[in-house]
Amino acid sequence: MFEKILIANRGEIAVRIMRTCRELGIKTVAVHSAADAHSLHVRTADESVDLGDGPASSTYLNTAAIIRAAKRTGCQAVHPGYGFLAESAEFAGAVTDAGLVFIGPSAHAIATMGEKVASRAVALAASVPLAPGSEGSIADPSAIIEFGDEHGYPALVKASYGGGGRGMRLVGSASEAVEAFGAAVREATAAFGNGEVYCERYLVNARHVEVQVFGDSHGDVVYLGDRDCSVQRRHQKLIEEAPAPGLSDEVRRSMGEAAVRLARQVHYVGAGTVEFLYEEGKFYFLEMNTRIQVEHPVTEAVTGLDLVALQLRVAAGQPLGITQESVRPEGAAIEVRVNAEDPSEGMFVPSPGLIATLEVPEAEGLRWDAGYQSGDEVLPLYDSLVGKLIAWGPTRDAAIQRLQSAMAQVQIEGIRTTIPAAQHILALDAFKSVDIGTTWLEDSVVLPDFSEDQGDEDARFDVEVAGRYYRIPTFPEDGVMAAPAGAAAPTADAEAGSARAGGRSGTRRRRSRASDGTVKAPMQGTIVKVNVEAGDDVTAGALLFVLEAMKMENPIKATHDGRIEAVHVSLGDSTPAGTLLASYVADGV
């Protein structure tokens, strides 16, 4: 086993890896940006190395600097965590070439399964069912239209490299192809350094079910059960559970065996997750994540295994030490991701800031994996995940009840979080009866305005998005903003369904508000698209800018018809909250 390892990551996953290392007597080295110098993962590590100032591209994504840090501190191995360089074949290869051990699969396996088009070919060779998809990467929006004409809509444009919902856009019709293609390429380039995308048929009512696999260098591969991750916003998971409820024993076994065949096809070593779309008793390969997953704790909770310990064991060349027959999941576990976001009415607006108080109950069957403590600051530079609250119970109903009780006792002050949304979702009959799919949260659930219970009703105003009204935070001088990506308007049927499920009917009328002729940044971020210039005529709802904050793209739209007088920012500008983006003369004002 290793004496010392470097963890090439930050936040919750870095702290979680350090916990297992401490139990195994392994020393840890943290790397960090200058902005992260006082963060929890730095305080938890035995040593730390400052990678300098600047964005993630020059710190957490700086392969050369990370390898220098590992060698200088005497590490034998590097654990990538998830995100950042975790699924970079180039990084894995560079670590190995430097004489260090990469705690993960081979560069070949990462490259093959991380490139979505290549991974589909592997799935075909392994006789794993596939949904219709493009033959290879696509070069322009016309390919999306051709695909839609052949296979129907909706279609999904996806990054060929990477995952986690980045570089993914839903296309409902041919008219949406140009904007979806541009947004997917732009986001994929920013997140993974590669803007290649491909197209896939989108299954409207599918659930997201995934299988945890593990392989060792001695040829053994097993699956450790399945998880359901269907509760998502913007293609990013909010609630995960194990095992996936409502599957027949035959489907569960077939899905697990298919995942193992896929892993064997690329001689997979380490932890991996094979993701499927499940609909009407059938499953289809989606992608393989060649890393530890955010939701791995629910698998640990039902199997009693430490997946990080298994990663370290396998990376050290030791046998996995478990057989398929010995894996016997018991009970049920549910995980809620606690993100620094305001989930009011499905907006999920990033909410960075100083955490004044963070207190989580401790009890049997509960687990809290966090990257922050009271007094820490959630920076707008990185992912919004604060921590994960996991509850285990002998049954799914017991796990839900335990998790609800725990969330009611959590105290977080200083930032808004997604806990109120999770509480609301877990109480819905549709969730309890597993009448859900990957679009259920955004299309069929109308989340309340949680701020009303916190006495700041007057600090919000309404905007219209795709024919539906949302209440959003105001900013200095009443800056104007539209809903972030993913806050799509539900259909009339979905509205009615969500009302029956306990959500709001969405019939509230917009309050009148005069325009002050300005468009301001609703939060700190980076301008990644400028869609207007001085002299342009715009209509209400027209896209003006796209602001990237906390790894999310937030479209900023006009709330009135009018003419742009001046644009005050450029592509790539970093903007504090309240920054003047544009001024315009609104018609009739």
Side-chain angles (χ1 to χ4, degrees):
M1 191 60 77
F2 310 109
E3 294 181 1
K4 183 189 290 187
I5 71 168
L6 181 141
I7 300 169
N9 219 296
R10 67 179 299 279
E12 171 274 324
I13 187 59
V15 176
R16 186 266 172 272
I17 295 167
M18 291 170 191
R19 183 173 68 242
T20 288
C21 287
R22 185 176 297 109
E23 292 172 356
L24 296 176
I26 299 172
K27 297 292 185 181
T28 57
V29 175
V31 291
H32 64 89
S33 64
D36 256 347
H38 304 291
S39 62
L40 180 58
H41 81 282
V42 174
R43 302 197 302 268
T44 304
D46 295 294
E47 300 176 52
S48 63
V49 176
D50 190 340
L51 297 177
D53 203 357
S57 59
S58 60
T59 54
Y60 293 108
L61 294 172
N62 189 332
T63 294
I66 290 171
I67 291 177
R68 282 197 302 270
K71 294 181 75 69
R72 188 169 70 244
T73 54
C75 293
Q76 295 89 44
V78 175
H79 196 306
Y82 56 72
F84 290 128
L85 293 168
E87 293 182 283
S88 167
E90 291 77 11
F91 180 65
V95 169
T96 302
D97 290 343
L100 303 168
V101 175
F102 180 76
I103 302 174
S106 67
H108 169 73
I110 295 173
T112 303
M113 302 312 295
E115 202 281 299
K116 302 303 186 293
V117 176
S119 68
R120 288 174 62 87
V122 173
L124 282 172
S127 300
V128 178
L130 284 166
S134 58
E135 293 297 323
S137 61
I138 57 177
D140 54 56
S142 65
I144 302 173
I145 297 172
E146 291 176 6
F147 182 86
D149 289 343
E150 180 179 356
H151 298 285
Y153 293 98
L156 200 61
V157 182
K158 301 177 64 177
S160 294
Y161 297 87
R166 315 296 181 198
M168 186 183 298
R169 288 295 184 274
L170 188 65
V171 185
S173 66
S175 64
E176 300 174 11
V178 173
E179 179 62 30
F181 179 83
V185 170
R186 185 171 58 247
E187 193 170 79
T189 302
F192 313 117
N194 189 311
E196 184 177 296
V197 296
Y198 72 106
C199 199
E200 185 174 86
R201 181 72 170 92
Y202 190 72
L203 301 177
V204 178
N205 298 312
R207 287 167 55 191
H208 181 125
V209 178
E210 60 189 31
V211 176
Q212 177 72 62
V213 295
F214 240 103
D216 64 21
S217 57
H218 301 270
D220 291 326
V221 182
V222 299
Y223 67 92
L224 305 182
D226 46 68
R227 302 183 286 253
D228 189 293
C229 309
S230 300
V231 180
Q232 305 177 8
R233 81 280 189 270
R234 305 175 197 164
H235 307 294
Q236 296 177 31
K237 304 162 189 173
L238 184 63
I239 297 172
E240 299 111 340
E241 58 181 304
L247 301 186
S248 69
D249 290 343
E250 180 181 356
V251 167
R252 204 179 300 278
R253 182 178 60 256
S254 296
M255 196 176 291
E257 291 173 350
V260 167
R261 289 198 305 273
L262 193 78
R264 288 188 183 280
Q265 190 73 25
V266 289
H267 307 289
Y268 198 85
V269 175
T273 297
V274 182
E275 299 187 345
F276 297 98
L277 291 175
Y278 172 79
E279 187 176 67
E280 298 178 351
K282 297 181 180 180
F283 60 90
Y284 306 91
F285 173 70
L286 180 61
E287 63 184 16
M288 184 176 191
N289 292 314
T290 55
R291 53 173 166 79
I292 194 79
Q293 288 279 99
V294 179
E295 57 270 25
H296 76 273
V298 292
T299 296
E300 294 182 327
V302 297
T303 62
L305 297 169
D306 184 328
L307 269 60
V308 172
L310 286 177
Q311 281 188 297
L312 294 167
R313 177 186 179 91
V314 167
Q318 300 176 14
L320 191 55
I322 55 176
T323 63
Q324 193 62 65
E325 292 71 26
S326 68
V327 179
R328 298 181 180 276
E330 295 184 5
I334 303 179
E335 171 182 293
V336 166
R337 298 193 191 189
V338 180
N339 293 77
E341 300 172 20
D342 180 358
S344 291
E345 303 198 6
M347 296 285 287
F348 294 99
V349 176
S351 176
L354 184 68
I355 302 175
T357 302
L358 199 168
E359 296 179 2
V360 179
E362 296 182 4
E364 183 179 355
L366 287 181
R367 170 174 165 179
W368 171 242
D369 283 15
Y372 298 86
Q373 293 176 333
S374 296
D376 288 339
E377 182 180 4
V378 180
L379 300 170
L381 307 172
Y382 308 112
D383 189 271
S384 65
L385 184 65
V386 174
K388 304 175 306 195
L389 185 62
I390 304 101
W392 177 91
T395 64
R396 184 173 185 260
D397 288 343
I400 292 174
Q401 184 175 358
R402 178 170 285 167
L403 187 54
Q404 286 281 44
S405 177
M407 285 191 290
Q409 300 175 62
V410 172
Q411 295 184 43
I412 301 179
E413 299 176 358
I415 59 171
R416 296 192 182 281
T417 74
T418 50
I419 285 181
Q423 291 175 301
H424 183 87
I425 293 165
L426 264 63
L428 295 177
D429 290 339
F431 178 82
K432 293 177 180 178
S433 62
V434 204
D435 185 17
I436 60 176
T438 57
T439 63
W440 171 72
L441 176 58
E442 292 182 337
D443 290 351
S444 301
V445 177
V446 179
L447 293 174
D449 180 355
F450 300 108
S451 68
E452 291 180 354
D453 298 328
Q454 300 178 44
D456 58 358
E457 168 71 12
D458 292 337
R460 303 174 70 84
F461 69 96
D462 286 357
V463 295
E464 182 180 356
V465 183
R468 182 176 171 219
Y469 297 109
Y470 292 87
R471 198 171 301 153
I472 67 171
T474 59
F475 297 92
E477 301 179 20
D478 296 332
V480 180
M481 172 197 164
T491 63
D493 290 342
E495 289 278 9
S498 61
R500 290 192 298 271
R504 293 188 174 186
S505 65
T507 57
R508 181 178 56 253
R509 292 186 179 181
R510 176 187 180 184
R511 284 177 279 171
S512 297
R513 190 177 190 88
S515 169
D516 68 353
T518 64
V519 180
K520 296 185 175 71
M523 65 200 78
Q524 180 176 339
T526 301
I527 299 295
V528 296
K529 185 172 185 178
V530 178
N531 215 39
V532 289
E533 58 185 29
D536 284 355
D537 291 320
V538 297
T539 57
L543 178 67
L544 305 180
F545 305 94
V546 176
L547 179 75
E548 184 182 84
M550 302 181 84
K551 293 190 176 181
M552 296 182 187
E553 284 199 350
N554 302 276
I556 300 174
K557 302 180 181 181
T559 55
H560 295 75
D561 295 347
R563 173 168 292 183
I564 300 295
E565 285 189 313
V567 174
H568 303 284
V569 292
S570 301
L571 193 67
D573 284 357
S574 179
T575 60
T579 298
L580 180 63
L581 306 180
S583 54
Y584 70 103
V585 176
D587 291 350
V589 177

